[in-house]
C-alpha cells in the first residue's frame, strides 16, 4: 500500500550540482506531476505527464527536466542547482481518462532540498 | 488565483466535531469542490470532493449549499492528529489545461486536548 513514494526525503546540494529527485507510484496512475512549495507561495506546478512518453511544462519549469519512460516513474532532474531552487518538492499522481477534475490527486511526502 | 475563501485559523476541542467553512461564490456549474489537508512536514492528503450533493467517506463529510456558493467540511470526532492546514479547492470537471491544483492559504485547524 505504498502509494506515491519520493526519494530522497532530504538533500543538500552546492550551487551548480545536478541531481535527480525520484518519484514512483504503484497505483497504475496515468497522470503524474511535480510541484514545489515555498513559504507564502502555495504549491506551484513544475512539470506534468498524462502518460508514459508524454510530458509538458507547468508554470515554473525553468531549470528542471522530466521524462516518463514508464507509467510508474516520473523523475525530476535539476540540471544546475541554484539557491532559488531551495524548496520542498512534491510529486502527485491520479488516474486519467474521463473527467480529470473528478479524479483525486495523491501526493508523496516530499523531498526537502537545500541549495547552498 | 485561488477561487476560494477560508478563515485563516480555527480551534476545536478533541472529540468534538470540527466544521470548516469555505466560500466559493464564483464557482461554475461544472466545477468540483475538493478538500485536502497538509499535516506538518507531510504531503497534501486528499480528504473528499463533491459536485452538488453532500458526500461522506471514512474521513469526513462535505456539505455543499444548494446554490453551491459555499461548503463545509465536517470532521465528526476531531483528534490531535487532525491538526493540520485544510485547503478548499475548486477544480473544473475536465481538470483544466494542466490538471493542476490551486492551493490557497487554507485554514489552520488546531485540535486542543
Amino acid at each position: 500500500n505504498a502509494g506515491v513514494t519520493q526519494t530522497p526525503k532530504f538533500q543538500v546540494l552546492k550551487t551548480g550540482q545536478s541531481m535527480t529527485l525520484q518519484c514512483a507510484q504503484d497505483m497504475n496512475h496515468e497522470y503524474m506531476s511535480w510541484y514545489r512549495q515555498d513559504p507564502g507561495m502555495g504549491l506551484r506546478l513544475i512539470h506534468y505527464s498524462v502518460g508514459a512518453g508524454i510530458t509538458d511544462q507547468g508554470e515554473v519549469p525553468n531549470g528542471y527536466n522530466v521524462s516518463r519512460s514508464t507509467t510508474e516513474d516520473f523523475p525530476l532532474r535539476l540540471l544546475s542547482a541554484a539557491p532559488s531552487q531551495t524548496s520542498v518538492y512534491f510529486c502527485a499522481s491520479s488516474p486519467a481518462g474521463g473527467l480529470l477534475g473528478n479524479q483525486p490527486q495523491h501526493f508523496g511526502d516530499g523531498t526537502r532540498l537545500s541549495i547552498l | 488565483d485561488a477561487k476560494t475563501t477560508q478563515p485563516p485559523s480555527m480551534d476545536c476541542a478533541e472529540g468534538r466535531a470540527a466544521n470548516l467553512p469555505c466560500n466559493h461564490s464564483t464557482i461554475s456549474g461544472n466545477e468540483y469542490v475538493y478538500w485536502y489537508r497538509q499535516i506538518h512536514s507531510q504531503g497534501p492528503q486528499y480528504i473528499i470532493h463533491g459536485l452538488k450533493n453532500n458526500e461522506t467517506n471514512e474521513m469526513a463529510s462535505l456539505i455543499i449549499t444548494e446554490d453551491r456558493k459555499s461548503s463545509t467540511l465536517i470532521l465528526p470526532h476531531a483528534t490531535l492528529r487532525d491538526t493540520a492546514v485544510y485547503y478548499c479547492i475548486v477544480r473544473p470537471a475536465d481538470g483544466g489545461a494542466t490538471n493542476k491544483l490551486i492551493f490557497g492559504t487554507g485554514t489552520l485547524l488546531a485540535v486542543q486536548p
Side-chain angles (χ1 to χ4, degrees):
Chain A
N1 202 23
V4 179
T5 302
Q6 292 185 237
T7 56
K9 295 189 183 304
F10 303 92
Q11 185 70 50
V12 178
L13 292 177
K14 295 180 179 179
T15 298
Q17 287 185 314
S18 62
M19 81 159 293
T20 298
L21 280 62
Q22 302 292 344
C23 176
Q25 52 90 11
D26 61 359
M27 298 173 282
N28 201 32
H29 286 172
E30 295 182 40
Y31 179 90
M32 296 185 74
S33 59
W34 278 100
Y35 291 85
R36 59 178 290 176
Q37 185 174 35
D38 303 295
M41 299 288 290
L43 274 77
R44 292 183 289 170
L45 183 67
I46 305 172
H47 285 285
Y48 66 100
S49 169
V50 297
I54 305 170
T55 64
D56 211 338
Q57 296 181 350
E59 55 186 315
V60 288
N62 292 341
Y64 307 96
N65 272 0
V66 291
S67 60
R68 187 89 182 273
S69 56
T70 67
T71 299
E72 295 78 18
D73 301 298
F74 191 43
L76 178 72
R77 281 183 289 277
L78 278 69
L79 308 173
S80 177
S84 60
Q85 294 178 304
T86 292
S87 188
V88 182
Y89 291 85
F90 291 105
C91 179
S93 74
S94 70
L99 296 176
L100 285 177
N102 194 24
Q103 302 284 6
Q105 292 189 33
H106 300 274
F107 287 79
D109 278 336
T111 293
R112 283 146 187 83
L113 184 62
S114 293
I115 315 295
L116 305 178
Chain B
D1 54 346
K3 298 174 64 175
T4 62
T5 303
Q6 299 177 253
S9 63
M10 293 181 62
D11 288 343
C12 177
E14 188 176 19
R16 304 297 293 268
N19 297 281
L20 291 91
C22 179
N23 181 290
H24 32 79
S25 58
T26 61
I27 193 169
S28 300
N30 69 342
E31 291 181 317
Y32 288 84
V33 179
Y34 271 76
W35 284 84
Y36 279 79
R37 72 181 181 183
Q38 191 168 20
I39 298 169
H40 181 63
S41 298
Q42 296 183 20
Q45 179 186 22
Y46 165 75
I47 301 173
I48 199 168
H49 74 286
L51 185 63
K52 296 179 181 179
N53 300 321
N54 298 337
E55 302 287 341
T56 295
N57 63 19
E58 65 279 4
M59 290 183 67
S61 294
L62 173 61
I63 308 299
I64 303 174
T65 58
E66 191 170 345
D67 64 6
R68 302 186 69 242
K69 294 184 177 182
S70 65
S71 61
T72 300
L73 178 74
I74 301 172
L75 308 178
H77 305 286
T79 71
L80 298 179
R81 287 177 294 180
D82 291 322
T83 292
V85 178
Y86 288 76
Y87 297 97
C88 172
I89 299 168
V90 169
R91 297 182 71 196
D94 64 357
T98 63
N99 196 31
K100 72 176 181 180
L101 291 171
I102 301 174
F103 288 78
T105 54
T107 296
L108 173 59
L109 175 68
V111 180
Q112 309 290 344

